[in-house]
């Protein structure tokens, strides 16, 4: 329609429009001349009646009416149950919170982002999934989550609960929590853009949260990346306590054993056999999480080998099939990870302690066999030690000790321990050796597959070590005595420095 | 004159929302609801239909389109009204298309018969057609297309449209005259 001559067309119409009938005809004859097409077009447009124009309006109005009649009224009435799709941003919940948008559906609930005009803050509101709000078990679980969150309220690594529904009221229960700005750990891991030390940092954040939870006698039971948020300021927060429960020393809780919910790929092996689980179940799943994060972090490439290996060793121990062989307390795991973190991401100085005459540090990876001075029958007589020593700025060191006792070719006991070694002893006057002493406790785990009732023995071991250069290589001479038998040397031998090499 | 007096706090909040402040959005929601409601309700009233009808669903759908992508900037509440008008157009078109898709599944034709002057069934009986017509107009004259959108879907008066588009009222008047005629012709072309 005269697109190429639009401005003129426009002007012609505009002028013609303002004329009376006869004048219009004259005008058109003058302007259009021989161009019958143009005249026709103008006449068509001029001939569009007001009725036709109004008809357009009424069509639209009819459509609005049709839509308003067909779709149910979407005001929020909680008593009749909520459908997230119709929860509109216009809704004000509980007379206070202004809904902004739906943020997700979890195991048993829906979550909304809302604004609290009273504190002028964003909040997350969780309610039971519509349709489920009448099932007693759902209600119970929901209230359980509320209690758990209230129990650990205020912890920096756990989402903060701000307000809850009044349990005496008959309305569907709800929880109001702080809204955490950030990305889920799942997303962060998928983007695969963090290094080993970030991985450790995130892991310690989760471990700290778990430590707090366990210390309140709660196990979480649903640890996975989508339940962890990395905040915009780099913090770590645990969300969603949906299936956590209080540990009952009598192990006779109401909570279902069969069909105990969880997330595929994120459950400890013993759950299949109906175990209600304890803190070690959380440790297992934490280990998986740690493993996956380490995979991402290590793939970045520039991580320190010693720290890598130590971290992987920790993850391996967390994820052992037999709960008895795992770390017993998440706080131990947390301490270990923190020790590794304090290395601050600087690769161990390869020149540390490894000159011909000067020794300044014991940091690194040491391996070797330590033996009983007098062999005993029926017991392992040599233990393979792998010692990852990490140095700290204040001249103390800590590390992971992995040990395995062998009878023949079979490992009969193994474990790993958290250790903080005291300040290094005095370097000898010539600087040719370092002596240091350490005390650490460990639980002895007997690795018999019969799973018999070997009693656990808590033991304290005293290490005395001298690091020196022998034949140009650093060697750590170790003697270990036990508190239970202080006068006798339990194990002795040499460990060699594997890394850093000189 | 249907011009809403510009209340500075609301404009400020709207702009904060455009900059990504969701708290501002939440605070301004009640004002926006009034504005959207006014437009929608005006239609229902005009139609002298059932006064108990609530355009809530319509407004919700409009809102759901607006929330994820706030407009780049807003100068005034009238400005917001304009954006709302476009949102309403999208909502109604989508709604009708989805209803048509359902109907087609049942084998029903989309045409509605009317007395045609020359035998061809006139278009203009469906929002989808109107949308098509406006889109066609936009290719030739985007300003007029906007004006008619604001007029028909936003229920805006000439002065409001002028404010939104930054034009004089006289220009808007002319744009509407031509635009409406153009649409009418497109939807029901004479031989």
């Amino acid at each position: 329609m005269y697109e190429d001559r639009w401005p003129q067309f426009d002007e012609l119409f505009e002028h013609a429009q303002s004329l009376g009938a006869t004048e219009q005809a004259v005008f058109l004859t003058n302007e259009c001349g021989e161009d019958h097409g143009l005249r026709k077009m103008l006449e068509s447009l001029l001939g569009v009646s007001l009725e036709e124009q109004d008809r357009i309006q009424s069509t639209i109005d009819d459509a609005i009416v049709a839509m308003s009649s067909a779709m149910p009224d979407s005001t929020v009435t909680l008593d009749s149950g909520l459908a997230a799709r119709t929860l509109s941003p216009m809704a004000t919940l509980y007379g206070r919170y202004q809904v902004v948008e739906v943020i997700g559906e979890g195991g048993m609930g829906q979550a909304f982002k809302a604004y609290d005009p009273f504190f002028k803050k964003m909040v997350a509101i969780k309610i039971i999934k519509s349709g489920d709000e009448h099932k007693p078990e759902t209600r119970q679980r929901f209230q359980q989550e509320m209690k758990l969150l209230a129990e650990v309220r205020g912890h920096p690594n756990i989402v903060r609960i701000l307000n809850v529904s009044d349990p005496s009221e008959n309305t569907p229960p709800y929880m109001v929590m702080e809204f955490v700005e950030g990305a889920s750990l799942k997303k962060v891991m998928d983007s695969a853009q963090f290094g080993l030390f970030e991985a450790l940092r995130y892991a310690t954040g989760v471990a700290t949260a778990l430590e707090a939870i366990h210390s309140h006698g709660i196990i979480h039971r649903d640890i996975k990346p989508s339940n962890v948020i990395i905040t915009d300021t780099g913090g770590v927060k645990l969300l969603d306590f949906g299936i956590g429960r209080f540990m009952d020393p009598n192990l006779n809780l109401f909570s279902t054993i069969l069909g105990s919910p969880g997330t595929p790929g994120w459950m400890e092996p013993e759950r299949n056999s109906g175990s209600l689980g304890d803190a070690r179940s959380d440790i297992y799943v934490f280990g998986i999480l740690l493993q996956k994060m380490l995979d991402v972090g290590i793939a970045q490439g520039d991580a320190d080998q010693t720290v890598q290996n130590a971290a992987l060793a920790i993850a391996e121990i967390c994820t052992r099939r037999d709960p008895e062989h795992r770390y017993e307390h998440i706080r131990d795991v947390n301490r270990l990870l923190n020790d590794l973190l304090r290395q601050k991401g600087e690769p161990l100085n390869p020149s540390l302690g490894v000159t011909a005459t000067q020794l300044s540090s014991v940091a690194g990876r040491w391996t070797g066999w330590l033996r009983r001075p007098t062999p005993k029958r029926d017991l392992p007589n040599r233990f393979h030690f792998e010692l990852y020593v990490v140095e700290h700025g204040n001249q103390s060191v800590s590390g992971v000790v992995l040990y395995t006792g062998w009878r023949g070719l079979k490992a009969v006991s193994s474990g790993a321990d958290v250790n903080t070694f005291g300040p290094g002893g005095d370097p000898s006057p010539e600087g040719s050796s370092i002596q240091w002493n350490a005390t650490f406790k460990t639980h002895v785990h007997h690795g018999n597959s019969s799973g018999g009732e070997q009693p656990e023995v808590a033991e304290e071991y005293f290490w005395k070590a001298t690091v020196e250069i022998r034949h140009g290589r650093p060697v750590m001479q170790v003697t270990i005595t036990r508190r239970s038998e202080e006068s006798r040397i339990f194990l002795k031998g040499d460990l060699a420095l594997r890394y850093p090499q000189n | 004159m249907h011009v809403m007096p510009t209340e500075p706090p609301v404009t400020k909040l709207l702009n904060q929302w455009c900059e990504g402040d969701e708290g501002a959005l939440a605070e301004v929601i009640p004002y926006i609801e009034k504005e959207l409601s006014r437009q929608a309700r005006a239609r229902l009233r005009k139609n002298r239909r059932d006064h108990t009808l609530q355009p809530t669903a319509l407004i919700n759908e409009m809102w759901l389109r607006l929330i994820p992508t706030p407009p780049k900037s807003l100068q005034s509440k009238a400005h917001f009204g304009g954006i709302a008008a476009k949102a309403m157009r999208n909502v109604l078109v989508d709604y009708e298309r989805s209803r048509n898709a359902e109907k087609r599944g049942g084998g029903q034709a989309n045409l509605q018969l009317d007395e045609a002057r020359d035998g061809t069934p006139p278009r203009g009986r469906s929002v989808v057609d109107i949308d098509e017509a406006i889109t066609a107009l936009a290719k030739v004259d985007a300003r007029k297309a906007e004006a008619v959108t604001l007029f028909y879907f936003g229920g805006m008066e000439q002065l409001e449209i002028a404010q939104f588009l930054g034009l004089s009222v006289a220009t808007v008047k002319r744009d509407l005259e031509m635009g409406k005629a153009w649409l009418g012709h497109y939807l029901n072309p004479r031989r």
Side-chain angles (χ1 to χ4, degrees):
Chain A
M1 268 203 239
Y2 291 96
E3 284 89 64
D4 47 339
R5 291 193 281 158
W6 185 256
Q8 293 103 306
F9 187 75
D10 193 6
E11 221 183 284
L12 285 175
F13 176 87
E14 182 196 315
H15 200 256
Q17 172 91 338
S18 58
L19 300 173
T22 30
E23 292 163 308
Q24 204 180 76
V26 170
F27 174 77
L28 285 177
T29 315
N30 287 342
E31 293 293 334
C32 300
E34 295 298 311
D35 195 341
H36 297 290
L38 176 61
R39 189 196 181 104
K40 201 127 182 280
M41 187 58 62
L42 282 168
E43 280 176 340
S44 298
L45 251 62
L46 290 163
V48 172
S49 67
L50 284 175
E51 279 161 339
E52 278 179 80
Q53 295 179 18
D54 288 347
R55 208 181 292 152
I56 297 177
Q57 183 69 77
S58 53
T59 305
I60 292 172
D61 293 352
D62 286 349
I64 294 176
V65 171
M67 195 169 167
S68 302
S69 327
M71 289 175 76
D73 186 13
S74 317
T75 49
V76 178
T77 48
L78 289 176
D79 297 334
S80 55
L82 272 172
R85 282 173 46 86
T86 60
L87 189 63
S88 91
M90 302 299 171
T92 303
L93 286 179
Y94 320 113
R96 172 168 167 184
Y97 304 101
Q98 181 69 63
V99 173
V100 175
E101 58 178 345
V102 180
I103 53 180
E105 299 212 12
M108 57 171 173
Q110 284 161 335
F112 306 100
K113 186 174 178 182
Y115 179 69
D116 180 2
F118 188 71
F119 288 119
K120 295 198 186 320
K121 278 197 156 26
M122 284 301 186
V123 297
I125 301 182
K126 219 165 137 179
I127 57 162
I128 296 181
K129 212 185 274 195
S130 80
D132 278 356
E133 65 266 11
H134 301 299
K135 295 193 200 144
E137 72 206 32
T138 319
R139 279 185 93 101
Q140 253 173 346
R141 253 194 244 150
F142 197 80
Q143 275 161 357
Q144 180 81 310
E145 183 176 359
M146 284 201 273
K147 283 194 215 139
L148 297 175
L149 278 173
E151 191 76 21
V152 293
R153 198 167 185 271
H155 193 277
N157 292 112
I158 299 174
V159 70
R160 214 163 144 236
I161 189 162
L162 301 171
N163 203 356
V164 293
S165 53
D166 185 342
S168 63
E169 281 177 17
N170 214 10
T171 51
Y174 66 85
M175 282 187 263
V176 182
M177 302 178 287
E178 61 169 335
F179 184 85
V180 185
E181 291 280 358
S184 82
L185 180 58
K186 180 173 194 312
K187 218 192 277 179
V188 174
M189 279 166 66
D190 286 345
S191 77
Q193 292 215 353
F194 54 86
L196 176 59
F197 281 87
E198 262 106 25
L200 289 174
R201 221 172 39 75
Y202 300 150
T204 51
V206 177
T208 309
L210 283 176
E211 214 181 307
I213 294 168
H214 289 180
S215 71
H216 279 88
I218 298 167
I219 51 174
H220 187 277
R221 296 204 308 160
D222 200 16
I223 300 160
K224 54 186 173 179
S226 48
N227 277 342
V228 179
I229 295 264
I230 308 299
T231 71
D232 286 350
T233 47
V236 180
K237 269 195 196 272
L238 197 56
L239 310 175
D240 212 309
F241 272 56
I243 57 172
R245 66 172 180 88
F246 287 95
M247 286 186 272
D248 184 336
N250 299 323
L251 288 183
N252 62 350
L253 287 181
F254 74 86
S255 85
T256 53
I257 297 174
L258 297 172
S260 178
T263 309
W266 292 96
M267 288 189 280
E268 66 283 2
E270 58 269 22
R271 203 186 300 212
N272 289 334
S273 45
S275 153
L276 282 176
D278 63 6
R280 287 196 179 133
S281 337
D282 276 352
I283 288 175
Y284 179 90
V285 187
F286 175 80
I288 304 270
L289 183 64
L290 175 61
Q291 181 79 63
K292 291 195 196 256
M293 289 198 281
L294 290 175
D295 287 344
V296 175
I298 287 171
Q300 294 297 308
D302 56 353
D304 179 79
Q305 194 67 40
T306 303
V307 176
Q308 261 187 48
N309 290 345
L312 289 168
I314 295 167
E316 189 273 324
I317 293 162
C318 287
T319 53
R320 290 186 174 161
R321 291 201 73 77
D322 187 343
E324 295 295 304
H325 292 163
R326 299 173 200 157
Y327 288 106
E328 196 180 344
H329 298 291
I330 190 76
R331 68 163 177 269
D332 293 337
V333 181
N334 202 7
R335 222 180 336 143
L336 262 175
L337 293 173
N338 273 297
D339 286 349
L340 292 179
L341 256 185
R342 274 182 274 154
Q343 186 57 25
K344 283 198 179 68
E346 285 151 14
L348 291 178
N349 187 335
S351 68
L352 278 179
V354 194
T355 65
T357 52
Q358 286 283 359
L359 283 173
S360 53
S361 159
V362 298
R365 175 172 169 252
W366 301 82
T367 67
W369 295 90
L370 304 184
R371 296 164 164 44
R372 293 182 199 270
T374 328
K376 282 199 158 27
R377 282 207 298 182
D378 299 324
L379 283 177
N381 286 302
R382 0 185 263 157
F383 288 78
H384 187 263
F385 275 82
E386 224 173 312
L387 175 63
Y388 297 91
V389 182
V390 176
E391 188 187 65
H392 304 296
N394 61 353
Q395 301 196 330
S396 66
V397 295
S398 66
V400 185
V401 175
L402 301 180
Y403 54 87
T404 311
W406 302 86
R407 198 187 304 145
L409 289 173
K410 191 166 149 232
V412 294
S413 83
S414 62
D417 294 294
V418 184
N419 296 284
T420 306
F421 305 101
D426 304 314
S428 66
E430 317 88 74
S432 63
S433 69
I434 293 180
Q435 288 186 325
W436 50 271
N437 307 305
T439 306
F440 61 96
K441 297 188 181 78
T442 189
H443 289 100
V444 175
H445 301 283
H446 294 285
N448 291 333
S449 54
S450 61
E453 285 139 14
Q454 310 254 4
E456 275 197 34
V457 175
E459 182 65 90
E460 265 184 278
Y461 295 86
F462 299 106
W463 280 53
K464 267 199 163 105
T466 306
V467 181
E468 60 184 24
I469 301 284
R470 217 188 277 164
H471 309 301
R473 313 199 121 253
V475 170
M476 186 189 294
Q477 266 181 311
V478 180
T479 52
I480 301 178
T481 53
R482 294 184 293 182
R483 200 231 277 262
S484 56
E485 249 187 317
E486 279 198 51
S487 50
R488 272 214 316 147
I489 292 176
F490 173 57
L491 296 173
K492 65 184 248 193
D494 293 336
L495 300 180
L497 182 67
R498 299 294 171 202
Y499 174 88
Q501 312 275 0
N502 68 326
Chain B
M1 276 201 338
H2 277 261
V3 179
M4 298 284 219
T6 31
E7 301 160 16
V10 178
T11 313
K12 183 156 165 271
L13 288 167
L14 283 174
N15 277 308
Q16 279 174 275
W17 170 42
C18 294
E19 285 160 25
D21 180 350
E22 281 174 332
L25 169 67
E27 286 200 63
V28 87
I29 281 174
Y31 297 101
I32 293 173
E33 188 200 359
K34 254 195 242 142
E35 175 65 24
L36 298 179
S37 232
R38 179 180 74 84
Q39 294 178 14
R41 279 179 224 273
R43 297 333 169 28
L44 295 178
R45 245 181 291 125
K46 251 199 232 169
N47 267 266
R48 288 180 216 186
R49 298 288 181 119
D50 183 1
H51 287 291
T52 62
L53 277 181
Q54 299 296 322
T56 324
L58 172 60
I59 293 170
N60 288 353
E61 290 292 319
M62 287 167 67
W63 197 240
L64 288 171
R65 280 164 174 71
L66 292 172
I67 278 206
T69 44
K72 293 210 180 63
S73 75
L74 284 173
Q75 280 87 52
S76 66
K77 274 180 66 181
H79 200 161
F80 183 83
I83 290 164
K86 296 190 213 176
M88 185 182 296
R89 176 177 158 193
N90 291 334
V91 169
L92 290 176
V93 168
D94 287 348
Y95 181 67
E96 193 172 282
R97 284 212 175 104
S98 69
R99 298 260 323 281
N100 291 345
E102 284 170 25
K103 278 196 227 151
R104 239 174 275 129
Q108 280 174 309
N110 186 23
L111 293 177
Q112 287 173 330
L113 295 179
D114 195 3
E115 302 132 27
R117 266 166 236 233
D118 44 335
T120 54
R123 300 189 295 183
R125 274 307 189 183
S126 83
V127 176
V128 172
D129 292 335
I130 296 172
D131 179 62
E132 224 180 84
I134 299 180
T135 308
L137 174 58
K139 290 203 180 94
V140 184
D141 191 326
R143 199 180 73 196
K144 291 184 174 56
E146 273 223 67
V148 294
T149 302
L150 298 174
F151 179 82
Y152 282 127
F153 286 96
M156 291 165 84
E157 304 278 333
Q158 288 177 7
L159 179 51
E160 289 174 288
I161 297 176
Q163 278 178 341
F164 182 75
L165 294 176
L167 304 166
S168 70
V169 176
T171 309
V172 168
K173 183 166 181 286
R174 289 194 300 266
D175 275 357
L176 284 178
E177 278 168 353
M178 161 67 111
K180 288 187 206 172
W182 198 97
L183 287 184
H185 173 78
Y186 185 97
L187 292 167
N188 190 10
R190 300 142 177 281
R191 267 307 140 67

